[in-house]
Amino acid sequence: MRFSVPFFNIVDVVMSELEDKYADIRPYNDDEVAASLTRLINDDAFIDVIAKYNLPRFLSAVPFIARPIVRSQLRKKWGKVSTVEDVQNEVAQYLDKLVKRTTSKVTFSGLDQLDANQAYLFISNHRDIVLDPALVNWGLYQHKMKTVRIAIGDNLLQIPYITELMRLNKSFIVKRSAKAPKEMLKALTQLSSYIYDSLIGGNSIWIAQKEGRAKDGFDQTDPALLKMLQLNGRKQKKEFGDYIKELKIVPVSISYQYEPCAIAKAKELYHKQHHGEYIKSAGEDIASIVEGFSSAKGHVHLAFGQPIESKCDSAEELAKTIDRQIVDSFYLHPGNYIAGGCKEAVIDSPDTATFEQRLACVPEELKPLVLAMYAKPFHRKTEINTNSCEY
């Protein structure tokens, strides 16, 4: 029997997919970068967003004029981008501009204690959808360390160009939309295996300590996340404590002087308190991403903890160990002390005035919730460190 060339091409594609068991969740490889950039340049929705934020309003409002301008600029800008590392360098340039434009400073601690040649599983608190892992990568990049692969929920990937951007930027997909028990177990097992194989292959991972941002300021690790990590360990017939030590978990505490999307978070909490549930509107997550990038954040500090070497025999015990590091190393800003009612803290008058001005912009019914966001880290840290009023 004779087959045409197209038939063998199809077989090659199928075999390639079978060999790549993570094809549906992993970030793009070098050989996929060029095609992804082409798709982005040809995506009208993406081009319109770029035009909106980069062209004068009178131009961006006229697509048949704005789109050719933006496409021409992107082709010129991305002409030499062909690898994942090239993309990371482009992202680093953008982050440099963002840091200068929207923060007073970004500082880091603990990075000098980590081995630049070791892959780590960074588990951090979660305050902003995209900025949290972006700033973790910014710190690693600044310290000449390899950037991380980023876990991101498929709930954020409803728009094609968002999926392209995320997978270009070393993001892998967490299938939160899986609902049936067997489907969920399959997805979580694949995720657990992917994280392990990435680490073994020398690629660090970032994942939030729980699903969704800590909208009330309470940073706490979900044991279910840690049980997911162990699924691959169970397959290898390894005890929980032994397997977890292999992952080289490093807790990371991210602290923003001005809480990203504070009012939007408070609105969600207020709605849940008074109506029992909150259903996000279409595009709400994208709006939060844009606000997180564009709003003033003041001083941002990222504290990288110590790799967890002590043996934790259960997910609950490990969660407490991670929480202890995140809470203890959380950098308290003036607003945290003010909201927490710490009378002993020495706070500069300008910092007090700025915090009060920001609070004055919050609707009256939401002020208690916003204050609680800032107060919670202070109160939790006080439980660990009785000298936390020193500033």
Side-chain angles (χ1 to χ4, degrees):
M1 183 180 292
R2 299 179 65 184
F3 296 109
S4 64
V5 171
F7 174 85
F8 285 112
N9 288 343
I10 293 172
V11 171
D12 287 342
V13 170
V14 172
M15 291 303 294
S16 176
E17 289 296 317
L18 287 174
E19 290 170 4
D20 186 356
K21 60 181 178 179
Y22 303 122
D24 58 332
I25 66 168
R26 63 164 175 77
Y28 289 140
N29 294 322
D30 286 348
D31 60 358
E32 297 167 307
V33 168
S36 177
L37 293 176
T38 298
R39 287 193 293 272
L40 282 171
I41 289 173
N42 291 328
D43 188 320
D44 285 344
F46 173 68
I47 296 300
D48 291 345
V49 169
I50 298 298
K52 179 180 178 181
Y53 290 102
N54 291 273
L55 295 181
R57 187 175 298 178
F58 74 91
L59 277 180
S60 63
V62 188
F64 76 88
I65 296 177
R67 288 173 182 170
I69 294 174
V70 173
R71 286 194 169 103
S72 176
Q73 291 176 339
L74 289 179
R75 287 191 184 99
K76 188 180 300 183
K77 183 177 179 62
W78 291 346
K80 295 182 180 179
V81 175
S82 60
T83 67
V84 173
E85 185 176 356
D86 291 340
V87 173
Q88 291 297 286
N89 290 331
E90 285 290 318
V91 172
Q93 290 180 36
Y94 175 78
L95 278 174
D96 183 52
K97 294 175 182 177
L98 181 142
V99 165
K100 291 175 180 175
R101 188 176 69 247
T102 69
T103 75
S104 58
K105 60 181 175 179
V106 177
T107 55
F108 305 93
S109 61
L111 274 173
D112 56 340
Q113 301 299 311
L114 300 179
D115 182 353
N117 297 312
Q118 172 67 55
Y120 295 103
L121 173 52
F122 295 105
I123 299 181
S124 84
N125 59 336
H126 195 24
R127 298 302 183 91
D128 187 87
I129 295 172
V130 174
L131 269 182
D132 293 346
L135 291 174
V136 166
N137 264 345
W138 176 244
L140 295 170
Y141 188 87
Q142 294 295 305
H143 285 75
K144 312 298 182 187
M145 297 172 70
K146 195 172 181 180
T147 55
V148 298
R149 291 177 175 177
I150 300 165
I152 186 166
D154 60 2
N155 57 300
L156 298 174
L157 305 179
Q158 305 304 313
I159 301 174
Y161 71 78
I162 296 295
T163 302
E164 295 292 346
L165 290 170
M166 294 301 182
R167 296 186 75 176
L168 273 172
N169 192 34
K170 298 178 70 172
S171 296
F172 60 94
I173 300 169
V174 178
K175 296 178 181 178
R176 292 178 179 168
S177 58
K179 299 301 180 185
K182 286 186 178 179
E183 184 185 9
M184 287 177 64
L185 180 59
K186 181 180 178 182
L188 292 174
T189 301
Q190 181 192 33
L191 178 63
S192 180
S193 178
Y194 176 76
I195 289 172
Y196 180 82
D197 286 350
S198 291
L199 294 168
I200 294 301
N203 294 284
S204 292
I205 295 286
W206 175 90
I207 193 166
Q209 65 181 164
K210 66 177 181 179
E211 181 179 333
R213 293 166 292 168
K215 300 178 182 70
D216 58 358
F218 190 85
D219 300 317
Q220 187 171 44
T221 305
D222 186 354
L225 165 72
L226 309 177
K227 291 175 182 177
M228 176 276 292
L229 296 175
Q230 167 60 5
L231 287 174
N232 189 62
R234 188 186 305 170
K235 191 165 61 175
Q236 297 181 18
K237 302 187 184 306
K238 295 178 180 177
E239 294 294 328
F240 182 88
D242 295 330
Y243 181 74
I244 289 300
K245 285 178 70 175
E246 290 184 39
L247 302 183
K248 303 294 183 184
I249 294 174
V250 173
V252 182
S253 187
I254 307 174
S255 169
Y256 296 87
Q257 183 173 0
Y258 306 128
E259 183 75 18
C261 306
I263 293 178
K265 292 175 183 176
K267 283 181 180 177
E268 182 173 335
L269 293 173
Y270 184 85
H271 197 89
K272 284 181 178 179
Q273 288 178 359
H274 290 80
H275 303 285
E277 65 174 344
Y278 179 82
I279 300 175
K280 290 183 180 179
S281 59
E284 191 169 336
D285 282 330
I286 304 304
S288 292
I289 291 173
V290 172
E291 183 180 348
F293 274 129
S294 59
S295 63
K297 288 162 277 292
H299 174 201
V300 186
H301 184 76
L302 288 83
F304 289 77
Q306 294 292 317
I308 295 176
E309 300 289 350
S310 59
K311 189 172 180 180
C312 297
D313 293 324
S314 70
E316 289 73 19
E317 186 180 350
L318 178 58
K320 290 178 181 177
T321 301
I322 294 170
D323 289 348
R324 194 173 300 114
Q325 283 204 41
I326 288 177
V327 173
D328 189 41
S329 63
F330 189 98
Y331 183 92
L332 294 174
H333 297 285
N336 301 119
Y337 289 104
I338 294 168
C342 181
K343 305 299 183 183
E344 294 84 356
V346 179
I347 302 171
D348 292 339
S349 296
D351 287 326
T352 301
T354 301
F355 185 75
E356 290 176 350
Q357 287 169 6
R358 295 181 69 87
L359 194 61
C361 298
V362 178
E364 202 62 37
E365 71 276 11
L366 301 181
K367 283 183 180 178
L369 293 168
V370 171
L371 280 169
M373 289 179 204
Y374 286 96
K376 184 62 70 175
F378 167 76
H379 291 308
R380 293 193 73 204
K381 196 176 179 78
T382 301
E383 295 172 6
I384 295 176
N385 181 2
T386 57
N387 296 317
S388 62
C389 278
E390 294 178 5
Y391 181 71

